[in-house]
DNA sequence: CAGTTTTTGAGTTGCGCACCTCAAAACACC
DNA sequence: GGTGTTTTGAGGTGCGCAACTCAAAAACTG
C-alpha cells in the first residue's frame, strides 16, 4: 500500500523533457491543439501518464484569463425549496468571483413548457452554461438540445430530462426517494396484525407535470404494493404544492376515509396537511412523511406531526451545480462521488 | 432581490486606485505586512469592502509558489471504515497535486494514547498540517496543543477531542447519531400494545475508549429512556469492533435473553451479529440497526438482517478534510455548510 | 531646525500555464 | 530534383498576485 499520496511537483517543462519534445509541442498535445503527429502525441501522452502530470489548476486558470457567464433557471413563485437553492447559489458569490464566473438567476414559469422553452432560446450568446429545473416535455427536450448544439454546457437541476442531451443531472434519484418514503411508512406503521386491517394511505402530490413527483409516486407505490400489501393506497390527490389546496384536500380525505392511517406528500406545501390534521385533532395519530427540509417541515418534525422527511440538500445541489458547470466549461473532470446527491432521511434526531 | 450574483472582475490594482494608494501599499494591507499606518490601512480596507474585492484564488495560489505537506493519522488494522477514508484520501491525489500538496497517510495504534502521542510529536517540521482520529485523552489533548503551538493546522477526524486546540472537527455529531439509531429502533418496533411487554434491546459497542462510541450509546439510551420506556436496555457488551467477538457476544445474548427484540451496534463488526442471528434462525426476526456502510452491512441491509444503518460518508469526510486543511494553511475561509458532515439514515431503498 | 524613523510609491521578479507568432526542419508528392 | 505541406522548436506575452528592493516622501523626535 502506498501511503505517499503524491510526490514532487511536476511542470509541463518536465513532461516535455521526458518526452524529448519542446515545450510548445507538449503544450499542443495537452491542450488538444492541431499540428502534432500521432507518433509525437503518443510520446507526450505516455510521458504524462508515466510521470503522473496534471496541470497546476491555479496556473491554468490564471493563464486562461477568460470569464464565464452561468445562468440558473429556477421556477418563480414562493417555492421554499427553490428559494433555498437560489440562496445557496448566491451564497457562493465569492467562489464564483474567484473563478471569474458571473451568475444570473433567471426566474420563470418552469411548469409551462412554452414559457420555459422561450426563456431557454434567449440564453445562447448571453451565457456559456446553464442549469435548469427541467420539465420532461418534448419541447423542452428540443430546447435543451439546441442549447447543447449552440455549445453551451447544460445541466438539469432537481428535475431531470434524461432523454435530452444535457451533460449532467444534479439531483436525487426520485424513484429511490419514493421507495424510501414507502419503506418508512410501512415500517413505522408496523406489520399487519391478526384481525386488524392495515388501513388506508393517502397520497398528496404536486402538479404531476414535473418528472420528480411522478417518480416519487411510482417508487412509493412499488414498495407499498410489494412489501406492505395490507395497506390500501388511495388515489393521489393533486394540490400543486400549495398549502391551502393541500389543506382542503386532506380535510376531504379525512372525512371520506375513516381508516386513514398515513399520508405521504410527494412535494411541497406540507404545512397544509399539518393544519388539516390539527383541526381534526389527528396530528401525531396519522403518520405523515413528506419531502424537503423547510422551516415549516422542521417545525412539524419537531412537534411530531411528521414522522420523517425525505430530503435533498439544497446547499449541496447549489455547490454541485457550480462545480459541475465549471468543470464542464473548463474541461476538467467531474468527481462523480462528490456530485452524487444523496436521498436523505431526516428524523427529529438527525435534523441538521 | 438581486439575481445578478456577481459583477465585473476586480483586481488589486482597482482597489489601490479606489483607495488612492499605490499597489504596494494595498498589497501590504491585504497580506498583513507591516509598515502601513492605521489610517491608510483603513482606507484600503474600506475600498475592499466597498468594491467587494477578493483576491483571485488562482493567482494567489500561483504566486505563493509554495508547497504543503499534510499528514493523515488513521488507525492501523483492518477497520473497513477507516480503510474507506484512506482510499478516499488517495483518490484525491489529483486534487492535492493541483494544489502542490503532498499527503502522507500515517497508520498507527490510535487506541493507545502513548503510541499516538509519540507519533504526533514526530510531525512538526515534517508536515504543515495534520488530520487525526483523536483519542479524547489528556495526553493526546496536550500533544494536539503542542502541534498547534508549533504552528501546524490540526483537525480531528471521525472522533473528536473538543477540549483541545484543534481548529476543526471533520465528523458527525455522534450523540445525534445515537439518538437517530434509538428513534429507528423505537419506531420500527412499534408502540407498546396492551398486555404485550416491550422486550429487551441489546447494545453491542466497540472499545469505549474513543469518544464516538460513548456518545452514540449516550444518545441511544437517551431516546429509548425518554420515548420508549417500555423497552428494556441491556447492559452494553464490548466487542472491540471485532466480528468474531461480536458473534460470540450475540450468541450469549440470544441464549440469555428470551425476550430480545432488537440489537444496536454502535460500531464496526456488524457481520458477526448477522452470523449469530443466522445460526439461531433469528435473522429478520430481531431488529438490527448498525453503523457505517460497508460491503458487509450493505449485504445485510439488502437481505433484511439489518433494518437500517446510521452512517457518515467517508468520501465526504476525506474531501472535507482536504478542503479544511487547505483552507487553514492558505488562510482561506471555511464554508461551514459544505463541511458539515450529515448523520445519514440508510435503508435498503436509499442505498447509494 | 536637522536628524531620525516611519510610511509610501515605484518598480522588479517569478509562479506555471495558455496562447500566439515565426522560422526551421522534416516529410510528402510529382 | 523541386515544390508544397505538415510538423516541430524557439521564443514571447500576459494572466493577477506575492514578495521583495530601493528610494522618496512624510511624519515624528529632540
Amino acid at each position: 500500500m502506498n501511503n505517499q499520496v503524491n510526490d514532487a511537483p511536476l511542470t509541463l517543462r518536465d513532461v516535455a523533457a521526458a518526452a524529448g519534445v519542446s515545450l510548445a509541442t507538449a503544450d499542443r498535445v495537452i491542450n488538444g491543439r492541431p499540428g502534432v503527429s500521432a507518433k509525437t502525441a503518443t510520446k507526450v501522452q505516455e510521458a504524462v501518464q508515466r510521470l503522473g502530470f496534471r496541470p497546476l489548476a491555479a496556473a491554468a486558470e490564471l493563464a486562461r484569463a477568460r470569464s464565464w457567464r452561468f445562468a440558473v433557471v429556477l421556477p418563480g413563485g414562493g417555492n421554499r425549496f427553490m428559494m433555498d437553492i437560489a440562496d445557496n447559489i448566491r451564497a457562493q458569490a465569492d467562489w464564483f468571483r474567484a473563478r471569474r464566473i458571473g451568475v444570473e438567476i433567471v426566474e420563470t414559469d418552469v411548469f409551462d413548457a412554452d414559457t420555459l422553452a422561450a426563456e431557454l432560446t434567449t440564453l445562447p450568446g448571453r451565457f456559456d452554461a446553464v442549469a435548469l429545473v427541467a420539465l420532461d416535455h418534448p419541447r423542452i427536450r428540443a430546447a435543451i438540445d439546441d442549447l447543447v448544439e449552440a455549445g453551451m454546457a447544460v445541466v438539469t437541476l432537481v428535475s431531470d430530462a434524461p432523454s435530452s442531451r444535457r451533460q449532467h443531472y444534479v439531483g436525487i434519484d426520485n424513484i429511490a426517494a419514493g421507495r424510501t418514503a414507502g419503506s418508512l411508512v410501512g415500517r413505522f406503521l408496523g406489520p399487519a396484525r391478526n384481525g386488524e386491517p392495515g388501513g388506508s394511505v393517502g397520497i398528496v402530490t404536486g402538479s404531476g407535470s414535473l418528472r420528480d413527483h411522478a417518480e416519487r409516486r411510482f417508487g412509493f407505490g412499488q414498495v407499498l404494493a410489494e412489501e406492505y400489501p395490507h395497506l390500501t393506497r388511495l388515489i393521489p390527490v393533486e394540490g400543486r404544492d400549495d398549502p391551502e389546496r393541500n389543506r382542503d384536500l386532506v380535510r376531504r380525505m379525512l372525512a371520506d376515509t375513516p381508516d386513514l392511517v398515513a399520508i405521504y406528500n410527494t412535494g411541497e406545501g406540507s404545512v397544509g396537511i399539518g393544519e388539516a390534521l390539527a383541526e381534526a385533532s389527528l396530528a401525531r395519530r396519522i403518520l405523515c412523511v413528506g419531502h424537503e427540509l423547510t422551516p415549516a417541515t422542521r417545525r412539524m418534525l419537531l412537534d411530531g406531526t411528521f414522522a420523517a422527511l425525505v430530503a435533498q440538500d439544497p446547499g449541496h445541489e447549489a455547490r454541485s451545480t457550480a462545480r459541475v458547470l465549471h468543470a464542464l466549461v473548463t474541461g476538467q473532470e467531474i468527481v462523480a462521488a462528490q456530485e452524487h446527491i444523496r436521498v436523505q432521511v431526516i428524523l427529529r434526531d438527525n435534523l441538521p
Side-chain angles (χ1 to χ4, degrees), chain A residues 234-316:
Chain A
L234 301 180
I235 293 171
V237 294
E238 297 199 6
R240 302 194 201 165
D241 288 346
D242 176 38
E244 298 193 9
R245 282 175 192 275
N246 284 349
R247 190 188 55 209
D248 295 343
L249 290 168
V250 172
R251 274 186 190 146
R252 201 166 320 146
M253 188 186 287
L254 291 172
D256 296 350
T257 323
D259 71 336
L260 191 75
V261 290
I263 298 176
Y264 170 44
N265 180 15
T266 70
E268 295 260 324
S270 285
V271 67
I273 297 173
E275 286 167 8
L277 289 175
E279 286 169 8
S281 298
L282 284 171
R284 304 182 58 126
R285 302 190 58 82
I286 290 193
L287 177 73
C288 290
V289 172
H291 278 269
E292 311 316 348
L293 185 62
T294 65
T297 56
R298 170 184 287 270
R299 184 168 37 72
M300 292 192 296
L301 202 56
L302 286 170
D303 72 19
T305 305
F306 273 68
L309 297 173
V310 178
Q312 49 194 324
D313 182 347
H316 189 186

Side-chain angles (χ1 to χ4, degrees), chain A residues 10-348:
Chain A
L10 283 170
T11 72
L12 187 54
R13 187 171 250 98
D14 301 319
V15 174
V21 301
S22 74
L23 204 100
T25 301
D27 172 76
R28 288 181 182 111
V29 176
I30 295 284
N31 292 296
R33 273 185 273 276
V36 182
S37 68
K39 209 177 61 183
T40 317
T42 309
K43 270 199 305 185
V44 175
Q45 270 147 4
E46 275 171 2
V48 167
Q49 285 295 318
R50 188 153 37 84
L51 302 179
F53 169 80
R54 297 277 300 185
L56 185 67
E61 186 130 347
L62 183 59
R64 226 178 305 261
R66 71 164 282 189
S67 58
W68 308 98
R69 286 157 310 161
F70 293 178
V72 180
V73 180
L74 298 176
N79 187 316
R80 179 70 218 197
F81 177 71
M82 293 300 170
M83 286 166 64
D84 279 349
I85 291 194
D87 287 346
N88 276 288
I89 293 280
R90 291 191 194 93
Q92 298 217 100
D94 278 355
W95 189 95
F96 286 120
R97 182 168 26 239
R99 285 158 187 78
R100 295 189 183 90
I101 299 170
V103 179
E104 191 172 325
I105 296 171
V106 179
E107 293 189 359
T108 187
D109 185 353
V110 165
F111 297 87
D112 180 56
D114 290 337
T115 309
L116 177 55
E119 187 69 52
L120 294 183
T121 59
T122 70
L123 301 179
R126 297 167 54 215
F127 295 99
D128 305 295
V130 56
L132 74 146
V133 177
L135 202 62
D136 198 23
H137 181 284
R139 176 160 294 134
I140 302 304
R141 216 173 303 149
I144 290 177
D145 291 354
D146 287 347
L147 297 181
V148 175
E149 197 64 45
M152 294 182 71
V154 181
V155 312
T156 50
L157 188 53
V158 180
S159 190
D160 196 14
S163 51
S164 72
R165 291 174 55 198
R166 93 280 184 282
Q167 283 102 335
H168 191 90
Y169 163 57
V170 177
I172 59 173
D173 174 346
N174 282 297
I175 294 181
R179 291 187 60 95
T180 303
S183 277
L184 288 168
V185 166
R187 284 273 196 184
F188 283 6
L189 288 176
R193 306 254 170 170
N194 298 340
E196 294 182 29
S200 293
V201 178
I203 301 172
V204 178
T205 192
S207 74
S209 73
L210 285 180
R211 194 184 176 89
D212 50 358
H213 287 207
E215 290 183 341
R216 288 175 192 174
R217 285 196 306 274
F218 176 75
F220 185 80
Q222 237 185 5
V223 168
L224 255 62
E226 284 169 15
E227 316 260 340
Y228 307 97
H230 58 293
L231 298 174
T232 309
R233 268 170 297 142
L234 301 180
I235 293 171
V237 294
E238 297 199 6
R240 302 194 201 165
D241 288 346
D242 176 38
E244 298 193 9
R245 282 175 192 275
N246 284 349
R247 190 188 55 209
D248 295 343
L249 290 168
V250 172
R251 274 186 190 146
R252 201 166 320 146
M253 188 186 287
L254 291 172
D256 296 350
T257 323
D259 71 336
L260 191 75
V261 290
I263 298 176
Y264 170 44
N265 180 15
T266 70
E268 295 260 324
S270 285
V271 67
I273 297 173
E275 286 167 8
L277 289 175
E279 286 169 8
S281 298
L282 284 171
R284 304 182 58 126
R285 302 190 58 82
I286 290 193
L287 177 73
C288 290
V289 172
H291 278 269
E292 311 316 348
L293 185 62
T294 65
T297 56
R298 170 184 287 270
R299 184 168 37 72
M300 292 192 296
L301 202 56
L302 286 170
D303 72 19
T305 305
F306 273 68
L309 297 173
V310 178
Q312 49 194 324
D313 182 347
H316 189 186
E317 296 190 337
R319 289 185 292 272
S320 187
T321 299
R323 280 192 301 259
V324 168
L325 288 179
H326 182 243
L328 286 173
V329 296
T330 61
Q332 291 176 54
E333 231 171 295
I334 294 172
V335 182
Q338 180 170 206
E339 310 312 348
H340 176 238
I341 313 290
R342 303 296 274 274
V343 174
Q344 296 178 348
V345 174
I346 305 185
L347 308 179
R348 197 186 347 186

